[in-house]
Amino acid sequence: MSTPDAPATVFAIDDDESFLTAVGRVLRVGGYTVEACPSPAEFLARPPSRVPGCLLVDLRMPDMTGLEFQRRLRDSGWTQPIVFVSGAGTIPATTQALKAGALDFLTKPVRSDELLRTVAEAIERHRRLLAEQDELASLRARYDALTAREREVCHGVARGQLNKQIAYDLDLTLATIKFHRARGLIKLGVSSVPALVLLLDRLGVLETPIGPVSRR
């Protein structure tokens, strides 16, 4: 579980150590923790962090381009928004970076106010992402806590079936269906059919079939 409200960290990756020093000074004055690294390959050797933050990335570095670094970051599991900061940006490179998910592309030398504004936007976006991921994980945990029968009944309810229809399909008594329905809704934390449908839809399981009919 992440901590969206934790202090933010800015990860700066640039082979120009004088730039790292300067940008680190500005960001620390702005209240951020800064972790600087001159080598993208070295940075990729570390496990992805779940702290709220963003990545400042140079476009041209000796051992790897910023665009390649961007792709490998995502493949490695980093979720922080990427902001490119470069003095060698071209329109095609900028377009490619933004299409691949970069939040912004700043040109060196970057003004302090512009840098801080962009970093604040990136971190706020990452906090929202972490909160959404945590909420989804919580919903998934609730869904996984259902028994197989509760899951079957809840899916029948979400499809608009009446209790008696679900009872027929599963060859169970109406009282048993009502019991599993009540238990399932309590475990999922919902109290209405629309809320149940929305929850299952968010989890991507709304169309899961009810399963084979058991005739015991």
Side-chain angles (χ1 to χ4, degrees), residues 139-140 143 146 151 153-159 188 190 193-208:
L139 295 179
R140 171 58 66 179
Y143 182 76
L146 298 177
R151 199 169 296 173
V153 172
C154 284
H155 279 286
V157 172
R159 286 198 301 273
L188 292 174
V190 297
V193 175
L196 172 64
V197 171
L198 287 174
L199 187 152
L200 297 181
D201 185 52
R202 283 201 65 191
L203 292 174
V205 297
L206 184 58
E207 299 304 320
T208 300

Side-chain angles (χ1 to χ4, degrees), residues 129-151:
L129 174 64
L130 292 176
E132 290 170 2
Q133 289 178 339
D134 287 350
E135 182 183 7
L136 193 59
S138 176
L139 295 179
R140 171 58 66 179
R142 292 186 220 165
Y143 182 76
D144 290 344
L146 298 177
T147 66
R149 190 63 80 194
E150 289 166 351
R151 199 169 296 173

Side-chain angles (χ1 to χ4, degrees), residues 59-70:
L59 183 64
R60 292 185 180 177
M61 293 176 283
D63 51 354
M64 190 182 308
T65 68
L67 296 175
E68 171 64 12
F69 181 57
Q70 179 185 26

